[in-house]
Amino acid sequence: GTKKKAACPGLGLFYTVLSAFLFSVASLFLKKIEDVHSVEVSAFRCVFQMAFVLPGLIYYKTGFLGPKGKRIFLFFRGFLGSSAMILLYYAFQVMPLADATVITFSSPVFTSLLAWIFLKEKYSVWDLLFTLFAVTGVVLIARPPFLFGSNVKGIEGSYTDHLKGTIAAITSTVSAASTFVILRKVGKSVHYFLSIWYYAVIGLIGCVIALFVMNEWRLPYCGKDRVLLILIGLLGLGGQIFLTKALQIEKAGPVAIMKTMDVVFAFILQILFLNHLPTWWTVGGALCVVASSSGTAIRKWQQSLKKAKQNEI
């Protein structure tokens, strides 16, 4: 018989880096858009997601609603996931790119905490330590006045916008962590495409309602913003595809560690294209959050390897 072709070593990690780069460039383009609200950008992103997922739903014959017992979980996955995207886009628009990226990178730590609360998963002293590291990093980036005084330097625009962006980024992170817990609860009983479908449909409905309530719906005035909107949708979709492919051929632990490149790319793009040098507070916060999320990923990876060896025995 023919031998199965060996997978290229490191291909999954390369896909992870490529995914991080595409997501970072999409975030940079979001900063460059001038006259489009973050909710409207999210709506365009949802349209691209739906256009990508619809052929897959038809091909795999999954239906559009999913199993009856799982629909409530899919609804909350879609609601929380789309809310996380909208809040993240808002944070990118009102605060430095690197700051928002670093805060959202603490998602694995909050996932462990929520999984302990709702799924009764083990939560060790190490997990508590990583959580404290992540919170410390977020505080260093937010720099609340009651700790750092009223004269806060190194932020974009007013401190009020910086604080709003920080709150939006933290809420986005917790919402994203909640979606991971829901996906763990659902397991493999629901097709991946169906999960994205709920995310895109509920997100689009929510965005349209919010835009009409805020009276913010309008087509971009200039051609540059229209091109950037399309590129954001395509880059976000590409980043999602490469991240999915990485998780299909590589263990989750190394992928999670390699995703620290998100933070690296955010710092590089912010310096090169936005002419905004990060402060030492941001660098310190980034180191705390990256150490926290990497430590969480390494522990989960070790636990999965240990469990796999026990199953072999």
Side-chain angles (χ1 to χ4, degrees):
T2 58
K3 291 184 178 180
K4 186 178 179 181
K5 187 178 179 181
C8 176
L11 183 60
L13 299 182
F14 171 74
Y15 283 154
T16 306
V17 174
L18 185 56
S19 169
F21 178 73
L22 294 177
F23 280 134
S24 298
V25 175
S27 303
L28 173 66
F29 288 164
L30 181 62
K31 295 285 291 183
K32 290 291 187 179
I33 289 181
E34 298 174 355
D35 296 318
V36 183
H37 197 278
S38 58
V39 179
E40 187 172 345
V41 179
S42 303
F44 276 93
R45 170 74 183 275
C46 289
V47 170
F48 274 94
Q49 294 273 31
M50 290 173 64
F52 167 72
V53 171
L54 185 58
L57 294 179
I58 297 172
Y59 177 80
Y60 289 107
K61 300 178 181 178
T62 61
F64 296 98
L65 297 178
K68 287 186 177 180
K70 306 294 182 181
R71 291 175 186 173
I72 185 66
F73 295 111
L74 286 170
F75 171 81
F76 280 109
R77 182 267 184 272
F79 175 75
L80 291 170
S82 57
S83 298
M85 174 185 62
I86 295 169
L87 290 168
L88 177 60
Y89 282 3
Y90 175 77
F92 279 140
Q93 285 190 332
V94 300
M95 67 187 303
L97 181 63
D99 290 19
T101 302
V102 168
I103 292 175
T104 56
F105 205 73
S106 61
S107 179
V109 180
F110 290 107
T111 302
S112 298
L113 181 60
L114 293 174
W116 170 60
I117 296 173
F118 295 104
L119 301 181
K120 308 304 179 185
E121 293 186 5
K122 187 177 179 181
Y123 190 78
S124 66
V125 176
W126 281 106
D127 293 314
L128 177 60
L129 181 63
F130 294 143
T131 302
L132 293 176
F133 258 90
V135 172
T136 301
V138 172
V139 170
L140 290 177
I141 292 171
R143 281 163 282 167
F146 67 90
L147 289 177
F148 293 84
S150 57
N151 188 18
V152 180
K153 297 180 180 179
I155 62 174
E156 286 183 1
S158 66
Y159 181 76
T160 301
D161 285 340
H162 182 80
L163 187 60
K164 288 180 180 178
T166 301
I167 294 172
I170 294 172
T171 309
S172 171
T173 302
V174 175
S175 297
S178 302
T179 64
F180 293 142
V181 173
I182 292 173
L183 289 174
R184 283 189 194 177
K185 179 71 175 178
V186 172
K188 297 181 180 179
S189 60
V190 175
H191 197 279
Y192 175 75
F193 277 142
L194 195 59
S195 175
I196 300 179
W197 175 254
Y198 267 81
Y199 171 98
V201 172
I202 294 176
L204 180 60
I205 294 172
C207 287
V208 171
I209 293 174
L211 286 169
F212 276 105
V213 170
M214 297 185 298
N215 195 26
E216 287 285 351
W217 177 263
R218 61 179 180 270
L219 287 175
Y221 293 118
C222 65
K224 185 191 77 171
D225 283 352
R226 297 176 186 179
V227 172
L228 290 178
L229 272 176
I230 295 173
L231 290 176
I232 288 170
L234 291 175
L235 290 169
L237 183 58
Q240 190 70 49
I241 291 172
F242 281 113
L243 182 58
T244 303
K245 288 179 70 67
L247 290 169
Q248 287 176 341
I249 62 177
E250 184 61 79
K251 291 183 175 62
V255 171
I257 296 169
M258 191 57 68
K259 268 188 66 62
T260 54
M261 290 302 296
D262 285 19
V263 177
V264 176
F265 285 133
F267 274 101
I268 293 174
L269 294 176
Q270 176 176 298
I271 294 171
L272 291 180
F273 297 100
L274 300 177
N275 298 318
H276 186 89
L277 288 173
T279 64
W280 287 110
W281 293 114
T282 297
V283 173
L287 291 175
C288 288
V289 172
V290 169
S292 173
S293 58
S294 299
T296 301
I298 292 171
R299 269 190 56 79
K300 297 298 181 184
W301 183 21
Q302 290 176 337
Q303 290 172 356
S304 65
L305 293 176
K306 184 178 179 180
K307 188 175 180 179
K309 289 182 180 179
Q310 290 176 346
N311 290 337
E312 289 178 1
I313 297 174

